[in-house]
Structure formats: structure tokens, C-alpha cells
Amino acid sequence: MSILVIAEHDGNNLKVATRQTIAAAAQLGNDIHVLIAGDYLDNVVAQASKLEGVSKVLVAQAEHLAHALAEDAAALIVSVAASYSAILGGHSSFTRDILPRAAAQLDVGMVSDVVEIISPNSFKRPIYAGNLIATVDSEERIRVLTVRGSRFKSVDAIAGHAAEIKSLPVPVSSGKAKWVAETKGNSGRPELSTARVVVSGGRSLGSEEKFQHILNPLAETLGAAIGASRAAVDAGYAPNDTQVGQTGTLVAPDIYMAFGISGSIQHTAGIKDSKVIVAVNLDPDAPIFQVADYGLVADLFEVIPQLNNALVTEA
């Protein structure tokens, strides 16, 4: 049977997580369909149809799907699920909201945060904040999975490739919830989950003003995304969408820089796939140094300006 990938997009472009999920789906079967829900989807559909391995693009277009809520998106998935042996999505807040509901309505179990596919019925996923890797066998009639995108190489568009495009009938809105509004920052920096460089700060920065004043110049110089520890977010120094860790965003940049972050288990679980981890902390016994490739016991308020000045001068 075919494999269904739930697409993530911003209305104009597919997110990298979808390309990575398609790569994971290719390990389960070679007939991959991509489901795109939303409104005014021409650009997104065109991108998906050209991706390697994609044989069909399913388009669910309706006004109430422009900002898809779990109630409506899950109903859409359930309406087509019988044709598939597996349904996959990236391990993001988007799919973690939708796929558990769809799995429950299908009366099947779900395997989340898959980091390796052993066979169509066997998967590896982290447990105990990433300290152990469990092998999970699933005999469900439909396997519902979220996959950690950083463990799978993103697929590319292929010149001349054009998958079949099919429009779907859209279930009516449940009416149980409605999208009201959202506020997005316009920093011009890359998205946290896909950035090549991430500069993160902890509660040691002391205030929201210092968090922004100290980290922003370095992030601008490096073209980096800004992240934060859970403690910094809880203290109100940084917005929720910057939280890095098991309960926030999982990141896998080329360079992850942690300033004033002690390194709790939930935080280090979210940065383990980073190629290089740099840590600066006044406490020489901070747990972050156990996972860091480079560690400096120093005052971040002195180190960050010096580092930024050196980078600017070098440039």
C-alpha cells in the first residue's frame, strides 16, 4: 500500500521538515503521496509535485483549512487513511497537534519522534530524554509516525519530474474551534528548526532587555537563529517559540552556541544532533560541558561582545 506524508508549509513554501519526512517515507515504500491542506496552494503544490519519490500530491483546499486546526486536519486525514499503510509527519508542533488525534480516531497506536526506520514495522525512538533508544515494533493496520527530520536527508526537486495532482473533497469544519489570530516576529533571521547556526541564551542573561541586547548583535553577525532555554522562556526573557529542547524545538544546526545555559536533560536532548556545540558558562561543573565540543568557563557578558567584535573585524 501507499505511504502518506502530511505536508507542512507557510502558504507559499514547503518546510524542510516535509522534505525530510519524504526521505523517511521512502524507507517504508516507493509509492509516496503528499497531503497538502490549506487555501491558495498553487505554489506549494507545484513544489511538492517535483520532489524526488513523490508519486501523487493530494490537495485539500478550503477557507477553513488556511490555518488548519487539529479538529479539521485530523478529520481530513481520517477521510483518506484507509488507502495507506503508514501516515507520517515531521516531529513538530504542527503534527504533534494533529496526528495523535487522527490516530485515536483511527483506533491505532502512534509512534512519535522516530530517529531510525529498521523495517516497515520496526522503528527506533529516544526515551528518557534521549538517554536511551528504544526499538518499537508496530503491528497496527496503519502506522502513524512522527519522524525527527534531522536524522533524514532532505529530498530535492528533480527536473522534469511531475507527480500526479488530485483534489480531495474536504470535510466540513467541525465548528468546535476557530482560528482567531497569530502574531509573528519579523526578525529576518532563519527559522529555529532549520537554521545552520543557533545562538541560545539562558536565565543567566537576567532580563528580557539583556537577552535581546546581548544576543541579537551576535545572531545578526552570524546570520543565526536565536534560541532559549526553558528557564529563560519561563522567566519571560524570550518568547515560547524560541525554546530549545525536548519540550520545545529540536535543533540540529552546524553550530549550536549556548550562553549561560546549565544544560538540563530536556535541553541537551534537543541539541544532541548538532554538529558542533559551543558552551559558555561561569559554572565549571555545568552539565552543558559534558555534551559540548568546545567549552569556556567565563562571563558571557564579556565573551559575547568580544566574540562579536572579532567576527565583525575579521569580516
Side-chain angles (χ1 to χ4, degrees):
M1 293 179 72
S2 304
I3 312 299
L4 181 65
V5 171
I6 309 303
E8 294 184 55
H9 60 87
D10 62 6
N12 289 304
N13 296 292
L14 279 175
K15 294 194 174 182
V16 174
T18 299
R19 299 171 184 262
Q20 295 167 331
T21 304
I22 291 170
Q27 298 183 29
L28 297 175
N30 56 15
D31 187 22
I32 299 171
H33 298 179
V34 175
L35 173 59
I36 303 176
D39 202 10
Y40 302 105
L41 297 171
D42 290 352
N43 289 342
V44 180
V45 171
Q47 292 169 27
S49 67
K50 298 175 183 177
L51 292 177
E52 179 183 1
V54 176
S55 60
K56 184 182 291 186
V57 178
L58 305 179
V59 183
Q61 196 158 257
E63 185 178 351
H64 70 272
L65 293 177
H67 301 279
L69 300 174
E71 291 82 358
D72 297 326
L76 175 63
I77 293 169
V78 170
S79 71
V80 299
S83 301
Y84 299 96
S85 60
I87 300 173
L88 286 74
H91 190 66
S92 65
S93 57
F94 174 76
T95 48
R96 282 182 289 180
D97 188 30
I98 293 169
L99 285 182
R101 179 181 289 267
Q105 292 177 358
L106 291 167
D107 195 25
V108 298
M110 177 179 166
V111 183
S112 63
D113 201 13
V114 171
V115 296
E116 183 180 340
I117 296 174
I118 301 171
S119 73
N121 298 310
S122 188
F123 317 97
K124 288 188 177 183
R125 66 177 301 272
I127 59 175
Y128 297 115
N131 288 310
L132 294 175
I133 300 295
T135 299
V136 180
D137 292 334
S138 173
E139 298 301 329
E140 300 285 5
R141 57 188 173 83
I142 302 174
R143 272 90 68 199
V144 179
L145 316 171
T146 60
V147 299
R148 186 178 296 193
S150 59
R151 294 298 184 93
F152 300 92
K153 186 178 179 180
S154 175
V155 299
D156 296 319
I158 299 179
H161 176 66
E164 177 187 352
I165 298 173
K166 179 182 178 181
S167 295
L168 294 178
V170 178
V172 297
S173 174
S174 69
K176 295 179 180 178
K178 66 177 182 178
W179 181 86
V180 177
E182 66 180 341
T183 301
K184 292 184 177 181
N186 188 23
S187 65
R189 286 189 289 269
E191 186 177 345
L192 180 59
S193 61
T194 58
R196 292 183 60 253
V197 180
V198 175
V199 174
S200 279
R203 188 166 51 186
S204 300
L205 281 151
S207 69
E208 180 181 4
E209 182 181 0
K210 290 181 180 178
F211 193 97
Q212 300 298 330
H213 179 71
I214 296 294
L215 293 185
N216 274 344
L218 180 60
E220 292 290 344
T221 300
L222 293 172
I226 286 186
S229 68
R230 179 173 180 174
V233 171
D234 288 346
Y237 302 165
N240 289 332
D241 60 1
T242 63
Q243 182 178 321
V244 173
Q246 191 178 34
T247 56
T249 300
L250 305 178
V251 298
D254 292 341
I255 301 176
Y256 182 80
M257 308 181 77
F259 296 99
I261 296 176
S262 62
S264 66
I265 291 176
Q266 81 87 22
H267 188 85
T268 56
I271 66 173
K272 282 185 175 179
D273 291 333
S274 304
K275 291 182 180 179
V276 176
I277 298 174
V278 179
V280 176
N281 201 296
L282 273 174
D283 181 6
D285 297 320
I288 191 72
F289 289 127
Q290 297 177 18
V291 298
D293 297 285
Y294 299 95
L296 180 62
V297 179
D299 186 343
L300 65 88
F301 292 104
E302 297 178 0
V303 171
I304 294 177
Q306 292 175 8
L307 176 59
N308 191 49
N309 288 338
L311 290 169
V312 171
T313 302
E314 185 68 23

